[in-house]
Amino acid sequence: MGKKHSSDGAGHAEHPKWMQHHFDTPSQQFASSKMGMWLFLATEVLLFAGLFCAYAVYRANHMEMFVFGHQFLDVKWGAINTCVLLFSSLTAAWSVRAAQVGQKTLMIVLLFLTMCCGGGFMAIKYVEYSHKIHDGLLWGTQYKPTGHAAEVIHGEEAHAAGDLGGAHGRVDAGHTEAEQVAAIEAAHGAKAAGDAKAAGDAHTAGDAHAAGDGNATTAAPPAEAGAMHATELPADVLAIDAAERSATQPAAIGPRGLVPVAETDAAHAEAGGHHWEGPIPDNVHIFFGIYFGMTGLHGIHVLIGMIILGWLIYRALKNDFSPEYFTPVDLGVLYWHLVDLIWIFLFPLLYLIG
Amino acid sequence: MNVTDTSITPADLGGYASREAESENFLSYPKGILSWLVTLDHKRIGILYLICILTAFFIGGMFALLIRTELLTPGPTIVDADTYNQLFTLHGAIMIFLFIIPGIPAALGNFALPLMLGAKDVAFPRLNLTSWYLWLIGAAFTVFSLVNGGADTGWTFYTPYSTQTDGAIISITMGVFILGFSSILTGLNFLVTIHRLRPPGMTWFKMPLFLWAIYGTAIMQVLATPVIGITMLLLIVERTLGFGIFDPALGGDPVLFQHFFWFYSHPAVYIMILPALGIMSEIFSVFSRKHIFGYKFIAFSSIVLAILSFLVWGHHMFPSGQSQLANFVFSALTFTVSIPTAIKMFNWLATMYKGEIVLKTPMLYALSFMFLFGIGGLTGLFLGALAVDIHLHDTYFVVAHFHYVMFGGTVIAFLAGLHYWWPKVFGRMYNETLGRIGAAIIFVGFNMTFLSQFVMGSQGMPRRYYNYLDEYTIYHHISTGGSYLMAVGFFLIAGYLLHSLLKGKRAPANPWGGNTLEWHVPSPPPYYNFKEAPRVGDPYDFSEIHWDERIEGYVFRKAEGSA
Amino acid sequence: MSHGHDSEQVGHIVPLWLLFGVFFALIILTALTVWTATHLHLGAFNIWLALIIASMKATLVALFFMHLIWDKPYNGIVLVGAFMFVILFLGISLMDTAENMPDMYEGPAPAVATE
């Protein structure tokens, strides 16, 4: 607690060394720093707002991408990560208390624990990411589902149509989650691989499913149920179908092709992601784009938070903090809490939509 | 008149006091280049910003001259079409992100804000310096794109073109991201300073109106800028990783990009103009020697403008495939913006009414501001009207409109503020006659350049086109001629301002008779702005400020007969 | 501007029982949100339920872990204001795209894509 005489002649004879000359009192300095931090946190909220906006817009308009895509996320890992972050928030908040009451060793231990939780969170994220990367469940142009299940059908393209039907059967019969995931991928891969050749067969398969779903969910009006398997229809049938539905709606067609998505696909997902019937929705990669965008940006923030915590530990070891001056601890911990706050919203929005 | 707060201090004696304090003024103490590069003094950081943004203005202006020269004749004149596309992109990006947005707040605001507030410094001096260095890094990225293939998307970076073109989009968007960070830190700093560092007596309604304007600006900087940050990051991952969120070929939505972009960029327009309006409130009052009319209306209209700026972004997207409903809502909301703006305009008019108007250089700029910003604002109503905008969208009418607002508004106000605070910053007077001539040349040149663009825009000349029909030639000739005239004006201004630094007369503490706190300290101000806590009075009360022939400046003295 | 003395207390010291109480409440809410998402089938309301629980958790963190309940009101206004602007941003973007977006995926596109 070294205090020294300030020589700036600014009117206050005695200033602690951490007092800056343009502040009059420690509480003014503390309140200013804290307000600055809160404004910075507001900018962080708005930085994430862009991604939340993308999420909301795509989810509101294309629920099916999200319902289908989120099955590949592991609720168990997500929930564990949530608890890890919540626990880190507890230790972080506790470390501020320790700083306030002068428990230096406890503060350092708690800050270290917080940092370790951050590391644990990132480790779990690493496991999750590597699964996604392995299965090719990535964003945009990188979206190429290639799990081991996909290999099963890649060998025999001729049977792609059969696999498409069979895949659904396996989804129903599957016991472990891994099997279900594999089956869904198989179905997806089959569609991608055998669209043209298997059009006729797939049509039949898809039709049967659509009929079944219509009964099961009651959410799909007949006209739209017909549209749901539009990808599997021969081109000429499809053209008529489209013309009947709307002559005025414009289509956006890109070089890589764009296929229609029926609005009611969501109806086919049963809660918990344990069943998937009916056609695989298109543009699922957008879900993974948003998933990686949000969790990636969040992960970067966790890393930055860990660096800040490390710096706080370093300064604490240097005896920079005291019950009179612990502003950096308070601000660093505020940042950490914000990272937690964002995850609190990310977890249900990404993992728990069924 | 019984204003007890404005008593006479030694500093009131102006130039005399300042010469005694020469050894400790912020320009000469401490010494050395390094002391400037690591300075935490808000006044020096303001000057560092000033040098940088004027450099950016010079570069952007050169691009503008090249563009105008290219458009002198239809078809190729001096550059090819691809180069032309890069020229207008960089002209826009440099002028907006490097010059106008940091222009008034970071350069003039940094210098004036703590002084006007009566504070020793901004709340976070180190953050302030950081934001200047971030500006330098952002500028480096932006200019790097120039030598690294150039960017040809226009400053708006619309997808999907920006994800497909071969330009150096990544470096320029990275530059914009970093510049955004710099802008956020400046705004954050100002907000905390205004909240927490007001000296005793400086209540919210004793704050000069410039500070209210800066406060509104800072709100927008803090709340809007992060969105351009994430937009630019998404654009970068879209280009590098093929993210697909904005790419229609992948099922993405390019209109969503426009929503993202304009959620920032419309408030950004107000980030540019609001500090300009603040400068105007100071100048109209001081040079009319009359209390500002409608103080609270002007103060609150700044905050209302800041909030309204977030509600109208869709008027940039009327023909972009935005929905009918959104078009309608945004068109209606756009008209509401005219209310706070008009409140300011009419209050300034009322301030001038029956005032003793002094036509010094800053006031000349302020009067041209009123004229040009008036035209700019009113043509904005044309563009806000849904039906009219369909015809005028992406024509030279839009170009003329935003140049009337951004140039005729912000740049003119920047020049007004520069001339207003120049004696305070550097302690030297510039040549008043040349100053007035410069202001006149800019005014005439500006109107030649952009009034003709209104005409050709309403006749259908599209913006950003390299070639045009012969019928537009005459307008392009006038426009290009006007731009050359403005260039002459700017070189004249640069000339006499630089000359004043070397040979200018020493400035008194209060050359214009202002009563805001910065005029109560010597010119240039001492290193520690105020030796003691300043006495705060009504910033627009001129009853105790009198011209003193001996120092050719104003002094603070109680009027005879007053208590 | 208050001119306190240097020894003025800065910040509020949160009692340990409160910190732990908030933590356990957060864990319980996490369990609750997982349970409701996997076992309750409320259709479109599921997402709102999840958001309500998330908002409750966020409020707990902000009020107690982040000291907002004892802090200067301005800091709370900043956070709430930021969320309001997020809602504004999302709300208007949604209002627009909800009118538009389905168009972009429908129509005769697949006929071209599969050829």
Side-chain angles (χ1 to χ4, degrees), chain A residues 2 21 36 50 59 63 65 70 87 121-122 159 167 172 216 250 254 259 283 301 313 328 346:
Chain A
H21 79 91
R59 185 193 154 101
M63 177 90 171
M65 290 175 196
H70 99 284
F87 182 72
F121 179 89
M122 291 312 286
H159 298 295
D172 293 333
V259 279
N283 298 324
H301 279 79
I313 293 170
L346 287 187

mmCIF file of all heavy atoms in Angstrom, chain A residues 2 21 36 50 59 63 65 70 87 121-122 159 167 172 216 250 254 259 283 301 313 328 346:
data_model
loop_
_atom_site.group_PDB
_atom_site.id
_atom_site.type_symbol
_atom_site.label_atom_id
_atom_site.label_comp_id
_atom_site.label_asym_id
_atom_site.label_seq_id
_atom_site.Cartn_x
_atom_site.Cartn_y
_atom_site.Cartn_z
ATOM 1 N N GLY A 2 1.789 1.278 -0.929
ATOM 2 C CA GLY A 2 2.697 2.417 -0.913
ATOM 3 C C GLY A 2 1.992 3.705 -1.265
ATOM 4 O O GLY A 2 1.381 3.806 -2.316
ATOM 5 N N HIS A 21 -3.790 11.444 -11.792
ATOM 6 C CA HIS A 21 -3.819 12.839 -11.362
ATOM 7 C C HIS A 21 -5.102 13.565 -11.705
ATOM 8 O O HIS A 21 -5.455 14.540 -11.067
ATOM 9 C CB HIS A 21 -2.625 13.591 -11.955
ATOM 10 C CG HIS A 21 -2.820 13.969 -13.386
ATOM 11 N ND1 HIS A 21 -3.376 15.165 -13.753
ATOM 12 C CD2 HIS A 21 -2.579 13.308 -14.519
ATOM 13 C CE1 HIS A 21 -3.447 15.221 -15.062
ATOM 14 N NE2 HIS A 21 -2.975 14.108 -15.546
ATOM 15 N N GLY A 36 -16.835 2.991 -17.469
ATOM 16 C CA GLY A 36 -16.181 2.715 -18.745
ATOM 17 C C GLY A 36 -16.313 1.253 -19.107
ATOM 18 O O GLY A 36 -16.601 0.897 -20.244
ATOM 19 N N GLY A 50 -25.120 -8.765 -33.812
ATOM 20 C CA GLY A 50 -25.130 -9.099 -35.231
ATOM 21 C C GLY A 50 -25.413 -10.578 -35.432
ATOM 22 O O GLY A 50 -26.270 -10.974 -36.225
ATOM 23 N N ARG A 59 -33.655 -18.369 -38.138
ATOM 24 C CA ARG A 59 -34.478 -19.292 -37.373
ATOM 25 C C ARG A 59 -35.962 -19.007 -37.572
ATOM 26 O O ARG A 59 -36.772 -19.922 -37.758
ATOM 27 C CB ARG A 59 -34.142 -19.215 -35.895
ATOM 28 C CG ARG A 59 -34.898 -20.257 -35.115
ATOM 29 C CD ARG A 59 -34.832 -19.999 -33.638
ATOM 30 N NE ARG A 59 -36.001 -20.592 -33.016
ATOM 31 C CZ ARG A 59 -35.980 -21.747 -32.375
ATOM 32 N NH1 ARG A 59 -34.859 -22.402 -32.250
ATOM 33 N NH2 ARG A 59 -37.080 -22.239 -31.857
ATOM 34 N N MET A 63 -36.983 -22.410 -39.654
ATOM 35 C CA MET A 63 -36.900 -23.195 -38.432
ATOM 36 C C MET A 63 -36.307 -24.577 -38.699
ATOM 37 O O MET A 63 -35.539 -25.101 -37.905
ATOM 38 C CB MET A 63 -38.331 -23.320 -37.892
ATOM 39 C CG MET A 63 -38.447 -24.154 -36.669
ATOM 40 S SD MET A 63 -38.252 -23.143 -35.215
ATOM 41 C CE MET A 63 -38.712 -24.358 -33.989
ATOM 42 N N MET A 65 -34.034 -25.744 -40.626
ATOM 43 C CA MET A 65 -32.569 -25.871 -40.619
ATOM 44 C C MET A 65 -32.062 -26.066 -39.202
ATOM 45 O O MET A 65 -31.155 -26.850 -38.953
ATOM 46 C CB MET A 65 -31.912 -24.564 -41.079
ATOM 47 C CG MET A 65 -32.041 -24.168 -42.477
ATOM 48 S SD MET A 65 -31.250 -22.522 -42.507
ATOM 49 C CE MET A 65 -31.862 -21.920 -44.031
ATOM 50 N N HIS A 70 -29.562 -28.893 -35.112
ATOM 51 C CA HIS A 70 -29.170 -28.892 -33.698
ATOM 52 C C HIS A 70 -29.035 -30.296 -33.134
ATOM 53 O O HIS A 70 -28.433 -30.492 -32.096
ATOM 54 C CB HIS A 70 -30.154 -28.067 -32.869
ATOM 55 C CG HIS A 70 -31.183 -28.880 -32.165
ATOM 56 N ND1 HIS A 70 -32.260 -29.426 -32.794
ATOM 57 C CD2 HIS A 70 -31.276 -29.248 -30.867
ATOM 58 C CE1 HIS A 70 -32.988 -30.094 -31.921
ATOM 59 N NE2 HIS A 70 -32.422 -29.997 -30.740
ATOM 60 N N PHE A 87 -19.765 -22.066 -12.815
ATOM 61 C CA PHE A 87 -18.870 -22.225 -11.679
ATOM 62 C C PHE A 87 -17.742 -21.198 -11.749
ATOM 63 O O PHE A 87 -17.358 -20.596 -10.738
ATOM 64 C CB PHE A 87 -18.307 -23.647 -11.647
ATOM 65 C CG PHE A 87 -17.408 -23.890 -10.477
ATOM 66 C CD1 PHE A 87 -17.936 -23.993 -9.197
ATOM 67 C CD2 PHE A 87 -16.029 -23.994 -10.641
ATOM 68 C CE1 PHE A 87 -17.112 -24.189 -8.103
ATOM 69 C CE2 PHE A 87 -15.199 -24.192 -9.562
ATOM 70 C CZ PHE A 87 -15.738 -24.291 -8.286
ATOM 71 N N PHE A 121 -13.499 -25.155 -20.384
ATOM 72 C CA PHE A 121 -14.543 -24.825 -21.360
ATOM 73 C C PHE A 121 -13.985 -24.946 -22.773
ATOM 74 O O PHE A 121 -14.595 -25.558 -23.652
ATOM 75 C CB PHE A 121 -15.031 -23.398 -21.095
ATOM 76 C CG PHE A 121 -16.087 -22.930 -22.046
ATOM 77 C CD1 PHE A 121 -17.421 -23.148 -21.779
ATOM 78 C CD2 PHE A 121 -15.741 -22.261 -23.206
ATOM 79 C CE1 PHE A 121 -18.400 -22.728 -22.649
ATOM 80 C CE2 PHE A 121 -16.713 -21.829 -24.086
ATOM 81 C CZ PHE A 121 -18.049 -22.061 -23.810
ATOM 82 N N MET A 122 -12.805 -24.386 -22.965
ATOM 83 C CA MET A 122 -12.215 -24.435 -24.305
ATOM 84 C C MET A 122 -11.874 -25.866 -24.700
ATOM 85 O O MET A 122 -11.989 -26.240 -25.872
ATOM 86 C CB MET A 122 -10.966 -23.550 -24.370
ATOM 87 C CG MET A 122 -11.236 -22.067 -24.269
ATOM 88 S SD MET A 122 -12.538 -21.474 -25.348
ATOM 89 C CE MET A 122 -11.723 -21.529 -26.920
ATOM 90 N N HIS A 159 -27.395 -47.657 -54.816
ATOM 91 C CA HIS A 159 -28.410 -47.965 -53.819
ATOM 92 C C HIS A 159 -28.785 -46.753 -52.985
ATOM 93 O O HIS A 159 -29.404 -46.895 -51.943
ATOM 94 C CB HIS A 159 -27.923 -49.082 -52.902
ATOM 95 C CG HIS A 159 -27.664 -50.339 -53.644
ATOM 96 N ND1 HIS A 159 -28.675 -51.037 -54.259
ATOM 97 C CD2 HIS A 159 -26.519 -51.002 -53.923
ATOM 98 C CE1 HIS A 159 -28.162 -52.093 -54.860
ATOM 99 N NE2 HIS A 159 -26.857 -52.097 -54.676
ATOM 100 N N ALA A 167 -32.470 -45.332 -44.352
ATOM 101 C CA ALA A 167 -31.908 -44.462 -43.326
ATOM 102 C C ALA A 167 -32.975 -44.048 -42.337
ATOM 103 O O ALA A 167 -32.756 -44.043 -41.137
ATOM 104 C CB ALA A 167 -31.290 -43.234 -43.970
ATOM 105 N N ASP A 172 -35.395 -44.574 -36.781
ATOM 106 C CA ASP A 172 -36.423 -45.013 -35.843
ATOM 107 C C ASP A 172 -35.904 -46.121 -34.936
ATOM 108 O O ASP A 172 -36.223 -46.170 -33.753
ATOM 109 C CB ASP A 172 -37.641 -45.516 -36.611
ATOM 110 C CG ASP A 172 -38.311 -44.385 -37.357
ATOM 111 O OD1 ASP A 172 -38.195 -43.228 -36.901
ATOM 112 O OD2 ASP A 172 -38.919 -44.654 -38.392
ATOM 113 N N ALA A 216 -49.428 -37.491 -38.717
ATOM 114 C CA ALA A 216 -48.842 -37.450 -37.376
ATOM 115 C C ALA A 216 -48.860 -36.054 -36.780
ATOM 116 O O ALA A 216 -49.118 -35.889 -35.598
ATOM 117 C CB ALA A 216 -47.416 -37.963 -37.424
ATOM 118 N N PRO A 250 -40.574 -14.902 -56.780
ATOM 119 C CA PRO A 250 -39.302 -14.983 -57.490
ATOM 120 C C PRO A 250 -38.414 -16.052 -56.870
ATOM 121 O O PRO A 250 -38.559 -16.389 -55.700
ATOM 122 C CB PRO A 250 -38.690 -13.604 -57.279
ATOM 123 C CG PRO A 250 -39.275 -13.141 -55.982
ATOM 124 C CD PRO A 250 -40.640 -13.748 -55.886
ATOM 125 N N GLY A 254 -28.528 -19.617 -57.508
ATOM 126 C CA GLY A 254 -27.106 -19.330 -57.555
ATOM 127 C C GLY A 254 -26.390 -20.356 -58.374
ATOM 128 O O GLY A 254 -26.984 -21.345 -58.795
ATOM 129 N N VAL A 259 -32.267 -25.112 -53.696
ATOM 130 C CA VAL A 259 -33.430 -25.974 -53.717
ATOM 131 C C VAL A 259 -34.450 -25.476 -52.717
ATOM 132 O O VAL A 259 -34.104 -24.831 -51.742
ATOM 133 C CB VAL A 259 -33.012 -27.423 -53.411
ATOM 134 C CG1 VAL A 259 -32.472 -28.057 -54.664
ATOM 135 C CG2 VAL A 259 -31.984 -27.448 -52.319
ATOM 136 N N ASN A 283 -29.867 -26.235 -46.995
ATOM 137 C CA ASN A 283 -29.118 -25.110 -46.418
ATOM 138 C C ASN A 283 -28.889 -25.276 -44.917
ATOM 139 O O ASN A 283 -28.831 -24.303 -44.178
ATOM 140 C CB ASN A 283 -29.830 -23.784 -46.680
ATOM 141 C CG ASN A 283 -29.936 -23.479 -48.150
ATOM 142 O OD1 ASN A 283 -29.010 -23.800 -48.892
ATOM 143 N ND2 ASN A 283 -31.036 -22.902 -48.567
ATOM 144 N N HIS A 301 -13.666 -14.749 -27.067
ATOM 145 C CA HIS A 301 -13.817 -13.932 -25.864
ATOM 146 C C HIS A 301 -13.363 -14.682 -24.623
ATOM 147 O O HIS A 301 -12.795 -14.092 -23.710
ATOM 148 C CB HIS A 301 -15.259 -13.460 -25.730
ATOM 149 C CG HIS A 301 -15.572 -12.278 -26.579
ATOM 150 N ND1 HIS A 301 -15.821 -12.373 -27.919
ATOM 151 C CD2 HIS A 301 -15.614 -10.959 -26.281
ATOM 152 C CE1 HIS A 301 -16.020 -11.175 -28.412
ATOM 153 N NE2 HIS A 301 -15.902 -10.291 -27.442
ATOM 154 N N ILE A 313 -3.686 -12.249 -12.239
ATOM 155 C CA ILE A 313 -2.919 -13.080 -11.304
ATOM 156 C C ILE A 313 -1.495 -12.538 -11.176
ATOM 157 O O ILE A 313 -0.945 -12.412 -10.082
ATOM 158 C CB ILE A 313 -2.919 -14.547 -11.779
ATOM 159 C CG1 ILE A 313 -4.331 -15.121 -11.670
ATOM 160 C CG2 ILE A 313 -1.942 -15.382 -10.971
ATOM 161 C CD1 ILE A 313 -4.495 -16.464 -12.331
ATOM 162 N N PRO A 328 -8.813 -3.240 -11.254
ATOM 163 C CA PRO A 328 -8.607 -4.173 -12.373
ATOM 164 C C PRO A 328 -9.261 -5.532 -12.139
ATOM 165 O O PRO A 328 -9.821 -6.119 -13.074
ATOM 166 C CB PRO A 328 -7.088 -4.300 -12.449
ATOM 167 C CG PRO A 328 -6.586 -3.049 -11.863
ATOM 168 C CD PRO A 328 -7.543 -2.708 -10.766
ATOM 169 N N LEU A 346 -26.534 -18.430 -25.457
ATOM 170 C CA LEU A 346 -26.149 -19.294 -26.580
ATOM 171 C C LEU A 346 -26.564 -20.735 -26.345
ATOM 172 O O LEU A 346 -27.008 -21.420 -27.261
ATOM 173 C CB LEU A 346 -24.633 -19.236 -26.792
ATOM 174 C CG LEU A 346 -24.056 -17.974 -27.386
ATOM 175 C CD1 LEU A 346 -22.587 -18.166 -27.688
ATOM 176 C CD2 LEU A 346 -24.788 -17.616 -28.666
#
